[in-house]
Amino acid sequence: GGAWFGPNTLAMLLDLFREFGTKDNAEGGGSGIKMVVGNTEVGIEQKFKHARYPLLVRPSERIRTLFDVFVTEGHLVVGACATLARLQDVCADLAASQPDDDAINTNQDSADVANRLADIQISRRRRRRTCEPIRDMLRWFASTQIRNAACLGGNLATASPISDMNPLICALGATIVLASRPA
């Protein structure tokens, strides 16, 4: 075991990593502080690799940027701590959804309506091109119990050679957004 932290804000989480995130605080090959979300990899590291983490952090779900999965204009945004099951559900919903016909004002100029319809078609194709492969991959990824606990950030951070998601998000042209606090 070790000391557990449960920060409620992104700033608190980043401060913990800035203060304790060095190898100087580590025992048995672990880093100074380890973030635990699903515990699907950390548990293996501790049990079989005998890694010891004197400081463990489990961010609060109040830090919505880490746990949310949502769509912005042209992008699927996945928080690092969002479970793979949540990502699978959102992608299944988005892949199946149809554009909202009410979003088109038919009283507009016909060129405006045509442009809006073209934008909807592009958006729909982009959404399907992104969400369908993720949904399909996650259907076969591990077990339901693992998908309910594991998160995409952990899958990326461990860089497991058997990871199915890492090559997929690379092929989809994903962008990873990192955060840090100045010293």
Side-chain angles (χ1 to χ4, degrees):
W4 281 86
F5 293 95
N8 291 317
T9 66
L10 185 58
M12 290 170 65
L13 175 65
L14 295 174
D15 285 344
L16 285 168
F17 276 98
R18 185 182 63 220
E19 184 174 350
F20 299 112
T22 66
K23 295 264 184 204
D24 298 338
N25 298 318
E27 298 174 24
S31 64
I33 189 168
K34 190 74 163 184
M35 189 156 89
V36 179
V37 176
N39 199 35
T40 57
E41 187 67 27
V42 173
I44 292 169
E45 290 172 357
Q46 290 181 322
K47 183 173 183 174
F48 297 110
K49 296 179 182 178
H50 307 291
R52 298 290 171 249
Y53 302 104
L55 303 172
L56 299 157
V57 61
R58 170 58 160 102
S60 167
E61 291 189 25
R62 292 181 194 156
I63 308 174
R64 299 303 329 151
T65 57
L66 293 179
F67 288 88
D68 281 347
V69 178
F70 58 93
V71 175
T72 64
E73 192 168 321
H75 296 92
L76 175 65
V77 179
V78 182
C81 298
T83 66
L84 296 177
R86 170 107 173 96
L87 176 58
Q88 181 181 20
D89 290 345
V90 169
C91 284
D93 290 346
L94 289 171
S97 69
Q98 299 295 319
D100 184 6
D101 293 332
D102 296 333
I104 301 171
N105 181 352
T106 55
N107 294 328
Q108 293 176 328
D109 175 13
S110 62
D112 290 338
V113 171
N115 288 337
R116 180 68 183 128
L117 285 170
D119 288 345
I120 287 172
Q121 288 300 333
I122 290 168
S123 174
R124 186 173 171 204
R125 280 194 304 270
R126 183 177 295 139
R127 183 176 61 231
R128 292 183 76 195
R129 193 173 60 232
T130 300
C131 293
E132 285 179 359
I134 293 172
R135 177 205 60 203
D136 293 346
M137 174 64 74
L138 289 173
R139 184 175 19 192
W140 303 109
F141 186 97
S143 66
T144 301
Q145 294 87 341
I146 295 294
R147 288 191 306 271
N148 284 338
C151 63
L152 187 58
N155 199 255
L156 287 168
T158 59
S160 172
I162 61 169
S163 170
D164 295 331
M165 291 304 295
N166 295 356
L168 177 62
I169 64 171
C170 183
L172 290 170
T175 300
I176 298 172
V177 178
L178 302 175
S180 66
R181 300 262 294 178

